Amino acid sequence: MSKEKKADHPTISLVLGSGGARGLAHIGVIDVLEQQGYRIRSIAGASMGALVGGIYARGKLDAYSKWVLALQRMDVVRLLDPSWGRNALFKGERIVSVLKDLIGDCDIEDLPIAFTAVAADVDTEKEVWLNSGSLFDAIRASIAIPTVFTPSHHQGHRLVDGGLVNPIPIAPTLNDRTDLTIAVNLSGKADGEPAAPRAEPHPANSYQARIAEFIDSLQRRLGNDDEEQDLDLFELISRSFDTMQNTIARFKLAAYSPDVVIDIPKNACAFYEFHRAGELIDIGRRRAEQALSALER
């Protein structure tokens, strides 16, 4: 191990990876870590890892968990605000505004836990570590999935999803004075058949109905294993982004070798299935218990 594990209540640096709705598994992982007496002293996250990690560092993960567990598929659709532009489908401001009201913003420097959100600068082509200033400005930049959400304008830079350059950001924790580094990888090996999504009625609102039908079409096509079928532009970009993230994640894990890796199956859900929070949190709990049990042995 790169850091010595102490017998009682070890301190940890927690690395939370990117992977869309699979990132809800981070909630279950954190729950198990706390139950087993691990003390989280530092968090680095990309995309959903930055969102869940930042909310935990703010001390509001319980409130967020209750909120996300109550979400139905159409609640997720209603949180999507069209950009009407050419660079993304949605602005992403509505969801950030809702979370700000629920969690409350603050400066990262004032958090009781060291926190770094990772984003990508599309102009300089560099990885950016956001560890000061507004917590939700950092989260907004880190979750700006290309083509899905518009880029975030931050201190003169155009920033997008951190998973583009570093889907499992271990490097920001390397100088931490903690006992262990634990990384949660959302690009783990596929585990059997993914659970089937639940069908829900479409809303009466015509715009929301069109978004719901678009999501339904994605579910149908992404669940089709017929390689002869042509992919539309959004599907191709989505799968390409996932493939790139998975490849980079394997490289980062090999290069930095954290003490513990908790793997979440990459087929646990589609990246937009945030209405399946209960299932995903349970997966995070089970995988964390397995990994920590192996560590103790």
Side-chain angles (χ1 to χ4, degrees), residues 130-293:
L130 302 169
N131 50 24
S132 63
S134 163
L135 172 63
F136 271 97
D137 282 354
I139 290 172
R140 172 64 180 88
S142 191
I143 65 172
I145 304 169
T147 74
V148 178
F149 294 126
T150 56
S152 173
H153 295 271
H154 183 76
Q155 298 180 352
H157 299 274
R158 289 185 296 178
L159 304 181
V160 296
D161 195 298
L164 192 69
V165 289
N166 196 348
I168 187 160
I170 301 166
T173 70
L174 291 180
N175 292 324
D176 291 349
R177 303 185 68 178
T178 52
D179 303 317
L180 294 168
T181 296
I182 297 178
V184 185
N185 173 33
L186 301 183
S187 301
K189 183 179 178 181
D191 184 17
E193 292 296 325
R198 298 187 300 271
E200 294 181 24
H202 289 182
N205 178 285
S206 60
Y207 169 70
Q208 292 173 351
R210 287 196 296 271
I211 295 179
E213 176 55 35
F214 171 69
I215 291 175
D216 282 347
S217 69
L218 282 179
Q219 289 178 330
R220 290 192 297 269
R221 290 190 291 247
L222 291 175
N224 192 325
D225 292 330
D226 184 2
E227 295 185 4
E228 298 283 326
Q229 185 179 14
D230 289 335
L231 299 175
D232 65 25
L233 179 61
F234 187 83
E235 291 173 71
L236 182 59
I237 292 172
S238 173
R239 292 195 187 186
S240 299
F241 189 69
D242 222 22
T243 299
M244 178 188 64
Q245 282 195 131
N246 295 346
T247 301
I248 298 174
R250 289 194 295 270
F251 172 78
K252 296 294 185 182
L253 288 170
Y256 292 110
S257 299
D259 300 292
V260 179
V261 178
I262 299 171
D263 286 317
I264 306 300
K266 61 186 177 183
N267 66 334
C269 70
F271 78 94
Y272 47 81
E273 292 184 309
F274 290 91
H275 58 288
R276 298 172 64 183
E279 302 166 53
L280 295 162
I281 292 171
D282 285 344
I283 289 173
R285 287 195 184 104
R286 292 197 303 270
R287 291 300 179 118
E289 287 169 351
Q290 291 167 7
L292 296 176
S293 177

Side-chain angles (χ1 to χ4, degrees), residues 5 38 61 79 94 102-103 134 232 242 266 281 292:
K5 184 179 184 300
Y38 291 86
L61 191 59
L79 290 169
R94 185 176 298 163
L102 178 70
I103 305 303
S134 163
D232 65 25
D242 222 22
K266 61 186 177 183
I281 292 171
L292 296 176

Side-chain angles (χ1 to χ4, degrees), residues 15-74:
V15 180
L16 301 177
S18 66
R22 294 193 303 276
L24 294 171
H26 292 319
I27 298 172
V29 170
I30 291 172
D31 187 39
V32 169
L33 289 172
E34 288 199 318
Q35 287 177 0
Q36 297 197 15
Y38 291 86
R39 295 176 293 160
I40 301 170
R41 292 291 178 260
S42 168
I43 297 176
S47 197
M48 270 298 288
L51 189 149
V52 173
I55 291 173
Y56 174 77
R58 182 78 173 90
K60 299 289 187 177
L61 191 59
D62 284 346
Y64 175 73
S65 299
K66 291 176 183 176
W67 176 78
V68 78
L69 282 166
L71 285 180
Q72 300 296 316
R73 189 176 66 112
M74 294 321 306

